[in-house]
Amino acid sequence: MNNSADNSGARAPGTPRPFVGINFTCCNIYCRIYKNKAGDAYEGACPKCRRKVKLLVGPGGTSKRFFDAR
């Protein structure tokens, strides 16, 4: 079996980087945030006001790909 990622968050060359879409309601801006190197969370910030957001990855989570950050 050829997995594109292992448990450490490493990716095979040429595979897309996992992301989720975030609508930052603080500045009404949509952008993507990407999975961190540890692979345990999606992390990013509003490109305008730099408000940070962190979505944890784990069992019992959600399959949603788009979120509002308030």
Side-chain angles (χ1 to χ4, degrees):
M1 178 181 262
N2 184 8
N3 289 337
S4 62
D6 60 20
N7 289 338
S8 68
R11 293 178 294 117
T15 58
R17 189 171 173 198
F19 69 90
V20 294
I22 297 286
N23 179 32
F24 287 96
T25 58
C26 50
C27 297
N28 197 28
I29 295 175
Y30 168 84
C31 69
R32 294 178 174 183
I33 61 170
Y34 294 90
K35 196 177 271 191
N36 63 14
K37 288 187 180 188
D40 62 356
Y42 291 88
E43 296 183 78
C46 174
K48 189 171 183 181
C49 71
R50 305 305 300 163
R51 178 173 281 165
K52 293 183 181 183
V53 66
K54 183 176 183 177
L55 304 173
L56 299 176
V57 175
T62 182
S63 61
K64 285 179 53 175
R65 302 296 300 161
F66 299 95
F67 299 89
D68 286 330
R70 300 179 191 265

